Amino acid sequence: MQHSTQEPSQAYLIIQLGSRWTDVLRLSPETATLVGRSSENQVVVRDERVSRHHSKLSWQKGGWIVEDLGSRNGTQVNGQSISQPYKLEGGEEITVGGCRMTFTFQLAGAFPASALSLSDQAQATVDNERGAIVNRLSNSQWSTELDASAFRRSQNSKDRWSFFYKLVFDLVQCKSEEDASSVALDLLLSELSLSVGGVLTVEIVDPSADVDTKKSVTKDGAQAEFRLAVLAARQEAGGSYHRVSDFLVRTVVTEKQAVLARNIQDDQQLSVARVSGQHEIDSNLCAPLRVRTKDVDEVIGLIHICSQSGQRALTAEELDLAVGVADNLALAIWRLRENQRLSIDLDASRRKAELLEQQLSQSSEMIGNSPPMLKVKQAIQRAAPSHATVLVRGESGVGKELVARAIHLSSSRKSGPLICLNCAALAPTLLESELFGHEKGAFTGATERKIGKFEAANRGTLILDEVGEMPPELQAKFLRVLEGHPFERLGGNSSIHTDVRVIAATNRDLEEAVGEKQFRSDLYFRLRVVEISMPPLRERPDDIPSLVEHFLGMFRQHARRRLAGVDPKAMELLVRHRWPGNVRELRNVIERAVVLGVENTIGEEDLGFQTLPAAPITTAGQANPVFQPLTLDEIERTHILGMLEYVQGNKSKAAQLLGIERSTLDRKLKRFS
């Protein structure tokens, strides 16, 4: 046994959890050492069997005393529970929950070699009496939300307020982690009147990584690996920054507490100091850079301050200051990292938006330079700058929506939304809901409020395709909105004002529909402020080669072979074809040829025209057909009936070949009967 003396003796607690050595604590005769579950204690034991304030060690009446503080499960010395203050002898073991603490006056030889599982650095620390952690701190008064009245009205307190005001002000202006670390380190060293310190980041890494760049750290009872990187470092003139002890890093990272230590250095630090003639480190202060958010609770680094032999020792008050600096620096670094992540995401989103805009511009590109197309392009350029309603007319498949998109992208509204709606695709009640929206419960199935297309297109453009098929009962409400009047959602009573430019498109003969009372004349004149007619493809055969090349570029990437182009004979057939389905049909023909073809060039056999009527061709050596004086109605009737006979009564196919809607064909047949 080791015996105590009447004078305060240097004493230590060697702390052990299970078979794992965790800490060495030098006891101070002036201050009692508390043991318990709360982070306010000098020895913190995270164990449900341990009370918040479990036991206390102190120097009393010529000896070191341990006493239980009314804990739930008691304190044991050498396996026996104590009920009264107990005077300790060297080598005795104190047990609190699952934690064992050996009281000793000398570290050397305190345990047999097999008693503890220690790393080389830790073994050297114990055996050579290199020092101990003398203070721990979880929170600082400078990193918690307290009223100003909670601080003493002393000059020192006022100075600290000014210090942290300058710290936060300077950190906000930093643009990088290195800048923020340098600012915080310089201010802290200046405040402490010291010159040696550093700010380091800690990164948990994959154990399979390069072991030469890692240090061992115990995390949640398991062996993990971490990598250190220096963000900022300061040293004396002619000297170098002392690398922080692995033991201190391990303690700070795993326990997420700041520590104040005396004389803790590993062998590498000692050898460097002796060879270089530098002073050995007397005091170490390590404060964790902790990030505490809703989703994150981790240590991303630490601040390390050290004083060398011959300099004053660091104090608990300065540890409190360092923790406050570390918490503010951690917040600044975390926000810089978040801003960097947001910047990366923003750049990725911007690149994606540019790609989509490029794809949209390509899909909205007007292909062709034939005289009819040049006329259309000129009309688009004249109509785009105005806010007038535009009516785009043309057969099915000619690209009326393409014209509407080109007008939008060339107008001052191009940064606004572009909304498209096909009026022939919905029932009348659903079409009204799509246009103007509805409130919850407005009709069966309306389970929530819905914003209509007019609201969605505010400050943008609304394209109404097949506007000629709009039900008569909806045309009146639509006309009022076109004239600038507010509207209400279905089932609602709130007036809604919008700023929308309407571009209508149709392949229907609106004049005929007005004459048959199927389309309102006032709506017809309101839509036909600016009219642009898109010519059918058969009227601009010179544009077919350019369109073929454009579609080949679109579909070539999906081909399983390298496509050199289109065979000249196939191109001649494409140019001579009548194209009843217009550009839409041409696109489908090229896509089918790319997908199903097997050669490196698209040939006649890949086009699949055998089921379509051939275009009558008149050459200079042939006689013109005999002219027959017929009215337009008679010509239309003869042609439609002949088409029906050609397709063997298939109305859908006849409408497609005629370039009209099925509903239009039905009306014409009804008129013929």
Side-chain angles (χ1 to χ4, degrees), residues 161-181:
W161 273 105
S162 300
F163 169 81
F164 276 98
Y165 176 82
K166 178 172 176 54
L167 172 67
V168 174
F169 184 81
D170 290 348
L171 287 177
V172 168
Q173 301 180 68
C174 293
K175 303 299 183 183
S176 68
E177 297 180 28
E178 291 78 8
D179 291 344
S181 300

Side-chain angles (χ1 to χ4, degrees), residues 22-292:
T22 61
D23 209 348
V24 176
L25 180 64
R26 178 185 292 173
L27 300 177
S28 172
E30 291 82 13
T31 306
T33 299
L34 297 177
V35 180
R37 196 175 70 249
S38 172
S39 59
E40 300 171 354
N41 300 286
Q42 282 72 40
V43 179
V44 180
V45 182
R46 305 295 186 185
D47 191 326
E48 294 182 354
R49 296 169 292 177
V50 178
S51 301
R52 288 179 56 81
H53 301 288
H54 198 100
S55 56
K56 178 175 73 173
L57 288 86
S58 60
W59 173 266
Q60 297 180 15
K61 299 178 182 179
W64 288 96
I65 305 298
V66 59
E67 55 185 306
D68 187 76
L69 300 179
S71 65
R72 181 176 54 190
N73 294 307
T75 301
Q76 292 80 39
V77 177
N78 298 328
Q80 300 295 321
S81 297
I82 60 172
S83 57
Q84 301 294 329
Y86 180 89
K87 186 176 181 179
L88 291 167
E89 298 290 338
E92 291 188 303
E93 184 178 88
I94 306 166
T95 303
V96 173
C99 176
R100 290 183 293 166
M101 297 171 288
T102 300
F103 175 80
T104 184
F105 294 104
Q106 294 182 346
L107 292 176
F111 293 98
S114 60
L116 294 174
S117 175
L118 304 177
S119 66
D120 293 339
Q121 293 87 349
Q123 188 69 54
T125 302
V126 174
D127 290 348
N128 296 318
E129 300 188 40
R130 300 240 176 100
I133 294 175
V134 298
N135 208 324
R136 300 171 183 269
L137 186 64
S138 294
N139 296 301
S140 167
Q141 61 175 328
W142 301 106
S143 54
T144 55
E145 297 181 1
L146 298 176
D147 296 332
S149 60
F151 303 104
R152 293 178 299 172
R153 299 293 184 178
S154 64
Q155 183 61 41
N156 182 58
S157 178
K158 294 178 182 178
D159 291 344
R160 288 290 162 83
W161 273 105
S162 300
F163 169 81
F164 276 98
Y165 176 82
K166 178 172 176 54
L167 172 67
V168 174
F169 184 81
D170 290 348
L171 287 177
V172 168
Q173 301 180 68
C174 293
K175 303 299 183 183
S176 68
E177 297 180 28
E178 291 78 8
D179 291 344
S181 300
S182 295
V183 164
L185 182 60
D186 289 340
L187 286 174
L188 181 58
L189 289 173
S190 176
E191 186 73 8
L192 299 179
S193 300
L194 294 173
S195 57
V196 180
V199 178
L200 303 93
T201 59
V202 177
E203 178 186 3
I204 304 296
V205 297
D206 186 352
S208 62
D210 181 9
V211 295
D212 293 336
T213 62
K214 301 177 295 180
K215 306 298 177 183
S216 176
V217 60
T218 302
K219 183 179 181 182
D220 298 331
Q223 200 71 10
E225 305 292 339
F226 68 92
R227 181 185 293 116
L228 296 178
V230 178
L231 287 178
R234 301 292 183 267
Q235 61 279 332
E236 292 182 343
S240 61
Y241 168 64
H242 291 272
R243 183 179 62 84
V244 62
S245 163
D246 294 338
F247 163 69
L248 289 179
V249 174
R250 183 166 55 249
T251 303
V252 170
V253 172
T254 56
E255 299 182 8
K256 300 181 181 179
Q257 286 185 319
V259 297
L260 180 60
R262 301 278 190 265
N263 303 322
I264 291 185
Q265 301 181 81
D266 54 31
D267 291 335
Q268 181 180 353
Q269 290 174 304
L270 285 172
S271 61
V272 170
R274 289 165 181 165
V275 170
S276 62
Q278 298 175 4
H279 296 292
E280 296 181 11
I281 298 175
D282 178 69
S283 297
N284 282 282
L285 182 156
C286 290
L289 302 179
R290 297 169 296 191
V291 177
R292 296 172 175 174

Side-chain angles (χ1 to χ4, degrees), residues 295-451:
D295 303 319
V296 179
D297 183 11
E298 62 178 284
V299 175
I300 62 173
L302 57 90
I303 293 179
H304 174 223
I305 304 294
C306 56
S307 66
Q308 300 173 342
S309 58
Q311 298 178 331
R312 65 175 180 82
L314 296 169
T315 65
E317 182 181 357
E318 292 168 334
L319 180 65
D320 179 73
L321 175 68
V323 172
V325 173
D327 285 342
N328 281 280
L329 176 58
L331 181 61
I333 290 177
W334 185 255
R335 287 179 175 172
L336 286 168
R337 291 181 179 180
E338 285 295 300
N339 290 340
Q340 184 178 16
R341 281 192 284 266
L342 289 174
S343 178
I344 293 173
D345 292 343
L346 182 60
D347 289 341
S349 298
R350 186 180 292 113
R351 289 193 297 270
K352 185 182 294 185
E354 291 174 353
L355 178 61
L356 291 174
E357 185 175 350
Q358 181 180 4
Q359 292 175 348
L360 179 61
S361 63
Q362 290 176 351
S363 64
S364 302
E365 186 178 358
M366 305 291 292
I367 305 297
N369 291 305
S370 62
M373 279 302 299
L374 291 177
K375 184 177 179 181
V376 171
K377 291 179 180 180
Q378 293 171 359
I380 290 173
Q381 293 301 318
R382 289 194 298 268
S386 71
H387 298 284
T389 304
V390 179
L391 178 63
V392 183
R393 308 184 73 163
E395 297 178 5
S396 179
V398 294
K400 297 186 292 297
E401 185 176 330
L402 196 66
V403 174
R405 289 181 179 273
I407 294 173
H408 171 77
L409 294 175
S410 300
S411 71
S412 59
R413 296 173 179 262
K414 62 182 179 181
S415 59
L418 176 64
I419 307 296
C420 301
L421 178 64
N422 191 315
C423 298
L426 299 170
T429 54
L430 292 180
L431 179 59
E432 184 175 3
S433 173
E434 284 292 322
L435 279 173
F436 307 114
H438 63 252
E439 299 288 348
K440 181 179 180 180
F443 51 84
T444 302
T447 57
E448 59 184 13
R449 171 186 287 184
K450 178 179 179 179
I451 302 300

Side-chain angles (χ1 to χ4, degrees), residues 429-545:
T429 54
L430 292 180
L431 179 59
E432 184 175 3
S433 173
E434 284 292 322
L435 279 173
F436 307 114
H438 63 252
E439 299 288 348
K440 181 179 180 180
F443 51 84
T444 302
T447 57
E448 59 184 13
R449 171 186 287 184
K450 178 179 179 179
I451 302 300
K453 301 300 184 186
F454 263 105
E455 285 184 80
N458 189 37
R459 300 184 182 278
T461 304
L462 175 62
I463 301 175
L464 293 178
D465 197 11
E466 304 297 344
V467 71
E469 307 301 323
M470 181 179 291
E473 59 270 23
L474 188 56
Q475 294 177 17
K477 185 174 182 178
F478 176 54
L479 177 60
R480 283 184 54 82
V481 178
L482 276 182
E483 292 176 343
H485 294 284
F487 62 91
E488 299 174 354
R489 301 189 191 98
L490 286 177
N493 52 17
S494 299
S495 296
I496 301 172
H497 295 265
T498 57
D499 176 18
V500 177
R501 182 181 191 179
V502 173
I503 300 178
T506 184
N507 60 8
R508 185 178 179 183
D509 187 343
L510 291 184
E511 291 79 7
E512 180 181 346
V514 170
E516 296 176 353
K517 306 299 183 183
Q518 295 180 353
F519 199 83
R520 294 178 61 100
S521 59
D522 46 2
L523 177 58
Y524 165 75
F525 291 116
R526 184 65 183 82
L527 290 174
R528 194 174 172 269
V529 177
V530 176
E531 181 177 323
I532 298 178
S533 295
M534 189 68 175
L537 186 56
R538 60 181 174 273
E539 293 182 5
R540 52 187 186 106
D542 295 343
D543 293 332
I544 291 178

